[in-house]
Amino acid sequence: MYDRDELIRLIQSESLRRGDFTLASGKKASFYLDCRTLTLHPKGANVVAEGMLEVLQSRDSMPDAVGGMAIGADPITASIVTIAGQRDLPLKGFMVRKEPKGHGTGKQVEGPVEPGQRVVIVEDVITSGGSAIKAVEAARQFGLVVDEVIAIIDRLAGGREAFEAIGIKLTTLTTIRDFGIEPE
């Protein structure tokens, strides 16, 4: 069972850092969320997967697969797929490379997915949405049907609006307000 309070406790203890930081978007921030310390934590991986599976199962139908931009989304995808397998759910995973391989099949999207399948992009932190939007674009270019991104936390810094502009629904398990932080 998904325990949102436990997720918030784990983010506070494992991922949230205060200080002066420069984000991937180039913006300055007084806090940083390193969710790899959460998604690679034994309890964190499970609670994130449980939360995202709860969101997926609340929909009219499950997607064929979940995945996102390597490296950040990989542990999230793996955790979700593992728990889905334990529950006998036919949910697969995939990963999106930052750029297509220069050898072998030359794929940018890897995993047991085929064009026409419905997928959901998973992400750790949403700031401007840039990384997840690149994953959406690559998945769509591969032929996958993407209409939703699910993330652990929204920094409330314009990501939701960026997704709306391209017709993507954003669902997050938490926002920075859950940690007493207001948008900067």
Side-chain angles (χ1 to χ4, degrees), residues 34 43-44 72 87 96-97 151 157:
D34 181 0
K43 281 192 173 215
R87 295 181 181 176
V96 178
R97 295 175 179 275

Side-chain angles (χ1 to χ4, degrees), residues 87-145:
R87 295 181 181 176
D88 203 25
L89 298 171
L91 186 65
K92 296 179 180 177
F94 68 96
M95 54 201 274
V96 178
R97 295 175 179 275
K98 294 198 186 306
E99 51 192 55
K101 284 195 322 186
H103 59 282
T105 59
K107 289 182 180 178
Q108 187 171 9
V109 174
E110 298 280 358
V113 290
E114 297 174 17
Q117 290 183 317
R118 198 169 61 82
V119 303
V120 170
I121 299 295
V122 295
E123 181 67 278
D124 53 6
V125 179
I126 298 295
T127 303
S128 66
S131 178
I133 288 172
K134 287 179 184 171
V136 167
E137 291 168 348
R140 285 179 169 172
Q141 191 168 44
F142 180 80
L144 299 173
V145 178

